[in-house]
Amino acid sequence: MQEQAIAWRHAGDDIGFVPTMGALHGGHESLVTRARKENRRVIASIFVNPAQFGPNEDLDAYPRPFEADRARLAALGVDAIFHPPVDQIYPPAFKTHVDPGPLAEALEGKIRPGHFAGVLTVVLKLFNLTQPKRAYFGQKDFQQLVLVRQLVRDFGLPIRIVACPTVRQPDGLALSSRNAYLDPAQRAAAPAISRALDAAAKAFAAGSTQPAELESVARSILQGIPGSTIEYAAVVDETTLRAPSRAIAGSVLAVAVKLGSTRLIDNVVLGAERL
Ligand code: PAF
């Protein structure tokens, strides 16, 4: 992969890179479509990264429909699909890990310790193997996006990170590979997550700037999802991920909700058209 990528760069071709764990949906497709428009070459990776799953998470159950993924990516005109085996990314001698620092301790990081160390370690390795000029990430994984930007800044990586809007079902549910785990009743209830974000965004637009007030608007809707647990519903600063004393345009309301054993995350940028 790296030899091919370097050859493309030496030939003067820009590379756009879309890292994925497969089980592709319209969200991934929007990233590839954007990459296709902006780069001479497009590489998509499919790698279910064991390092970002905790011991009791869904690594084994994570869907791996490789043939369907390959066909989708081929239809979108990617130049290469990088689908390495686990022992090629993490050979027995593999030792070094990225320490993502304090931004990884908020939100997801509190509930999934070690998750972002695993994400940033694989993202750094994938960047080096695919030599992108631009790399494409979804806004749905908002904290991941913030941390990848931090990685790029801290290590001086010559890569532009392009954030792409969350893609939703017509009923508002954010596309996620994990939606496949929902049973019909959970699937029917899940759009309440997006309604909760909308309601808080509307309250902000109507003048409410107290984080606790906005969070409680969201929580009151999330609580109506049968069999659900709210892991967090928090207004945070878009770059520091800290709780602001008052929400301002650009603050982000991020939520994580468990429906049965399925965790779903979503977010809204306050004061913006829905990203
Ligand atoms: O967002 C994902 O699918 C993963 O976290 C990523 C960026 C491909 C790293 O494994």
Side-chain angles (χ1 to χ4, degrees):
M1 180 72 265
Q2 195 178 50
E3 273 171 24
Q4 175 65 80
I6 288 172
W8 281 335
R9 291 300 293 264
H10 281 176
D13 294 352
D14 287 353
I15 297 173
F17 175 50
V18 182
T20 84
M21 299 207 302
L24 302 179
H25 51 63
H28 299 109
E29 285 183 342
S30 76
L31 305 180
V32 174
T33 302
R34 174 99 186 255
R36 186 66 286 170
K37 281 201 191 108
E38 295 180 351
N39 303 276
R40 172 85 178 84
R41 302 287 182 181
V42 175
I43 301 172
S45 63
I46 298 179
F47 180 65
V48 182
N49 173 33
Q52 70 189 73
F53 287 79
N56 301 316
E57 293 184 359
D58 56 344
L59 174 62
D60 292 337
Y62 202 85
R64 290 167 171 83
F66 179 71
E67 269 316 310
D69 288 346
R70 197 195 52 71
R72 268 180 191 250
L73 291 171
L76 294 169
V78 302
D79 295 281
I81 298 170
F82 183 45
H83 181 47
V86 172
D87 63 0
Q88 209 172 86
I89 296 296
Y90 300 115
F94 188 95
K95 295 278 184 275
T96 312
H97 291 84
V98 175
D99 174 352
L103 292 185
E105 281 156 28
L107 305 173
E108 286 297 283
K110 255 192 211 144
I111 291 151
R112 308 183 69 188
H115 171 67
F116 289 114
V119 170
L120 294 193
T121 298
V122 85
V123 163
L124 180 59
K125 184 154 189 172
L126 292 170
F127 283 171
N128 283 325
L129 295 174
T130 61
Q131 302 283 308
K133 172 146 186 187
R134 301 179 190 86
Y136 297 79
F137 289 83
Q139 170 75 23
K140 187 181 77 76
D141 294 317
F142 154 69
Q143 189 176 8
Q144 168 170 284
L145 184 60
V146 171
L147 279 154
V148 169
R149 287 193 194 285
Q150 170 105 30
L151 173 82
V152 164
R153 269 197 313 275
D154 286 350
F155 290 158
L157 306 180
I159 301 171
R160 209 181 121 223
I161 300 303
V162 182
C164 299
T166 301
V167 178
R168 297 176 183 281
Q169 297 282 3
D171 62 12
L173 179 64
L175 298 192
S176 162
S177 306
R178 292 189 167 97
N179 292 350
Y181 299 148
L182 300 173
D183 68 27
Q186 291 167 334
R187 173 63 190 82
I193 299 171
S194 143
R195 283 202 303 278
L197 296 172
D198 280 341
K202 282 203 183 94
F204 175 78
S208 168
T209 57
Q210 288 306 319
E213 209 172 287
L214 296 166
E215 290 161 11
S216 91
V217 169
R219 278 175 188 279
S220 64
I221 295 174
L222 295 172
Q223 271 152 7
I225 305 175
S228 70
T229 319
I230 304 169
E231 292 197 332
Y232 58 79
V235 175
V236 295
D237 178 272
E238 63 184 323
T239 47
T240 65
L241 302 182
R242 292 217 191 95
S245 51
R246 303 183 69 154
I248 56 169
S251 301
V252 173
L253 172 60
V255 303
V257 182
K258 245 179 143 175
L259 278 77
S261 55
T262 303
R263 284 188 86 238
L264 298 179
I265 60 172
D266 202 348
N267 64 82
V268 67
V269 181
L270 299 175
E273 258 193 71
R274 185 120 197 210
L275 268 185

